[in-house]
Amino acid sequence: MLPEPDPARCRDLADDLRSAGYTAEALRSGWGDAADDAIARGLRAPADRALGGRADAVAVLGRLFMLGMPQPAASVTLALPRTGVDGLVRLGLAEVDGDDVRPLAVVRPQSYADASADGGSSWWIASDLDEAALGGPLPEDHVLGVGGASLTLAALQLPTPARRGLDIGAGCGIQALRARRSVDHVVATDISERALAFTRLNALLNGVDGIEVRLGSLFEPVTGERFDRVVSNPPFVITPRVADVPAYEYRDGGMEGDDVVAAFVRGVGGHLEPGGVAQLLGNWETRAGVPGLERVRGWVEESAVPLDAWVVERESLDPLSYAELWVRDGGTLPGTPGFSRLIDAWLDDFTAREVTEVGFGYLLLRRPAEGEPTLRRFEPLHQSLPGDGLGVHLAEALAAHDRLTALDDEGLAASALVVSPDVTEARHHIPGQEDPTVIELRQGGGFGRALGVDPGLAALVGACDGDLPVGVLIDAIAELLEADAAALRADLLPRVRELTFTGFLRFA
């Protein structure tokens, strides 16, 4: 357990880190792109080798807080003149070992890009030392730092303003910090006192107020309360319920299979205000022949409070690949004692429950502001994402959905649309032939979708410049193609709805 973070010492440390120029960009410049990428794979030596004999503040702090390497106390004092060695010790971030300072935590500079108005944030995020610094498997109360999944969830968060927010399974506090940028007050919960101490520390270190921490599992700490925004990177990793398999607090919710995600989906509706949105990451099993996304659909339908749902499956793994991923994540590598035993435990668990595949993805759940749910979308999107702006894209998609729901086909035909600026068209021809064999629309933002379209839809999209209503354009295209106008409307309008929801088209 970390000591209660002292606000004055956190301010001193923040001032020191700022004065030292301790940023992600400075570190990457100091040890190079290849070494920076190696750190993410648990390899410290390339970065240390690249720093060589450098003794400036960025190099000292990089070795201490990023590589987990002890540093001379005199060098740390020079790098952190306000905080000093004593301040680090009192914050629980380091200990004194003779003439050296030994780190007890990672303090990672994290740049967060955002497509919303102010463009992003730069934070320092403290968390527990990783297995490379520890030299072995992680302790079960390990508090995870910022990884790819947590950055993705931060990017997915809606940027629209809200009054009250809830972060379930706060960990080091990265989601609460991100939520606080658009939410007035955030309650951050976790089953780990240590995780909540890191959340408090990181809020103070980054000068962010309005984050309240509470101890407890899932919705227990907020019984009877409702929120406008809920976010969670829950401990969703499927772990065998076997005595000698480590149950890491940061990833294992203590339930069988994917039950922790199911419990969240079934229970979150009662904690959402009308119009409130919950966003989370999760795993789901394909079990006994029932596809994972269909099981998620069942959880949504079992919610006592009816919910809109948009679930995206980003990838799926077979049981062996899934087991290997998470055994390695805990610091047990092939060839080390216990690796085969842990793999067998995972495979035995999956076999006993007839699991043939595990999906991973994102869930957006919304309590309708009024009436019944109108959005039920469960889709696999197994491709890389184009970059930032996902939160903005989701907010725009929800707004488009609500507007489309209020329009019948006649109303849609009377609407003027424009092509989104990130959309491009590709045409593929067989050599010597005038007409294309494939016409493809590609999206540069959002989920980076690509879809084949026929000449009629391609012509309609190309003509959407906001001047004429969709119905007028379809009638003109029907005349050009010598097609029946009514039949073409019936064919194109449902696809126009889809293109507008997914962001290829926008209302003018």
Side-chain angles (χ1 to χ4, degrees):
M1 178 63 189
L2 294 175
E4 183 64 27
D6 177 75
R9 288 194 175 90
C10 287
R11 284 195 298 271
D12 286 343
L13 179 56
D15 288 342
D16 282 336
L17 295 175
R18 191 175 298 109
S19 298
Y22 184 61
T23 66
E25 293 75 18
L27 290 172
R28 196 172 184 99
S29 175
W31 50 48
D33 292 349
D36 200 63
D37 294 340
I39 292 171
R41 303 194 302 272
L43 303 174
R44 301 182 299 167
D48 183 39
R49 188 180 300 113
L51 292 176
R54 281 180 51 180
D56 58 280
V58 169
V60 170
L61 295 175
R63 293 190 193 96
L64 182 73
F65 285 142
M66 283 290 291
L67 306 184
M69 301 171 64
Q71 295 295 289
S75 299
V76 174
T77 299
L78 288 173
L80 303 173
R82 298 173 184 83
T83 311
V85 172
D86 182 65
L88 288 183
V89 172
R90 289 179 181 273
L91 287 171
L93 299 176
E95 63 183 4
V96 176
D97 184 9
D99 293 331
D100 290 337
V101 175
R102 183 179 300 278
L104 297 177
V106 171
V107 180
R108 180 187 183 94
Q110 184 68 57
S111 295
Y112 170 73
D114 190 346
S116 57
D118 54 6
S121 296
S122 294
W123 296 313
W124 295 291
I125 304 295
S127 60
D128 274 325
L129 296 172
D130 60 20
E131 59 266 29
L134 293 172
L138 302 172
E140 292 191 13
D141 65 349
H142 176 81
V143 176
L144 191 67
V146 178
S150 54
L151 284 177
T152 297
L153 181 58
L156 285 164
Q157 286 196 42
L158 300 183
T160 48
R163 189 175 65 87
R164 293 194 76 213
L166 171 64
D167 176 13
I168 294 180
C172 67
I174 179 68
Q175 303 306 328
L177 288 172
R178 171 61 188 88
R180 185 64 183 83
R181 297 186 65 223
S182 51
V183 179
D184 294 338
H185 181 84
V186 176
V187 176
T189 71
D190 206 289
I191 61 171
S192 165
E193 285 275 19
R194 184 170 180 80
L196 295 179
F198 271 115
T199 295
R200 289 192 294 268
L201 172 66
N202 287 325
L204 289 170
L205 186 58
N206 292 284
V208 177
D209 61 4
I211 296 178
E212 173 192 351
V213 301
R214 300 184 194 175
L215 182 68
S217 176
L218 286 176
F219 304 108
E220 291 173 0
V222 293
T223 300
E225 297 181 57
R226 297 200 300 198
F227 300 84
D228 307 293
R229 197 70 49 76
V230 178
V231 63
S232 182
N233 185 2
F236 59 74
V237 175
I238 297 164
T239 306
R241 306 261 68 88
V242 179
D244 57 353
V245 173
Y248 297 110
E249 289 182 345
Y250 74 89
R251 70 183 203 190
D252 175 23
M255 299 183 187
E256 182 179 273
D258 50 21
D259 284 356
V260 68
V261 180
F264 186 104
V265 173
R266 293 181 183 122
V268 71
H271 295 278
L272 288 173
E273 295 282 4
V277 172
Q279 294 176 271
L280 69 151
L281 305 181
N283 276 164
W284 38 82
E285 299 174 332
T286 291
R287 187 190 298 176
V290 180
L293 284 175
E294 284 304 307
R295 297 185 61 248
V296 179
R297 185 190 295 271
W299 304 337
V300 173
E301 292 171 352
E302 291 164 4
S303 170
V305 175
L307 296 173
D308 286 321
W310 184 6
V311 181
V312 174
E313 183 178 88
R314 295 292 300 128
E315 65 177 323
S316 61
L317 295 175
D318 62 82
L320 177 58
S321 298
Y322 188 89
E324 186 174 3
L325 171 67
W326 293 110
V327 172
R328 286 174 177 267
D329 177 80
T332 304
L333 303 178
T336 59
F339 181 82
S340 295
R341 176 183 57 80
L342 290 174
I343 293 291
D344 287 342
W346 251 273
L347 295 182
D348 288 345
D349 176 60
F350 284 137
T351 299
R353 289 182 297 106
E354 299 183 76
V355 174
T356 56
E357 191 173 70
V358 181
F360 166 82
Y362 325 134
L363 301 91
L364 186 153
L365 307 168
R366 182 176 64 168
R367 182 171 184 170
E370 56 184 19
E372 293 300 310
T374 56
L375 176 61
R376 289 288 171 88
R377 190 177 181 99
F378 302 84
E379 56 181 327
L381 283 174
H382 295 185
Q383 76 259 359
S384 60
L385 298 178
D388 303 319
L390 280 172
V392 172
H393 173 71
L394 294 180
E396 291 174 346
L398 289 178
H401 168 79
D402 293 341
R403 188 167 176 179
L404 288 164
T405 300
L407 291 174
D408 58 15
D409 281 354
E410 184 176 339
L412 180 58
S415 302
L417 302 176
V418 295
V419 182
S420 297
D422 64 319
V423 172
T424 58
E425 181 186 270
R427 293 183 176 235
H428 304 272
H429 297 256
I430 293 176
Q433 291 191 4
E434 181 179 354
D435 294 330
T437 55
V438 175
I439 306 174
E440 187 178 58
L441 297 179
R442 296 174 180 169
Q443 186 179 51
F447 284 111
R449 298 173 190 267
L451 66 151
V453 297
D454 56 44
L457 185 56
L460 176 59
V461 171
C464 283
D465 58 6
D467 287 340
L468 295 174
V470 171
V472 172
L473 295 176
I474 293 176
D475 290 345
I477 292 168
E479 185 173 347
L480 287 172
L481 297 178
E482 298 180 349
D484 178 75
L488 191 60
R489 280 194 182 211
D491 174 53
L492 291 183
L493 286 177
R495 292 193 281 166
V496 168
R497 289 182 182 275
E498 173 69 8
L499 289 176
T500 306
F501 174 79
T502 53
F504 286 86
L505 296 172
R506 298 178 180 178
F507 285 99

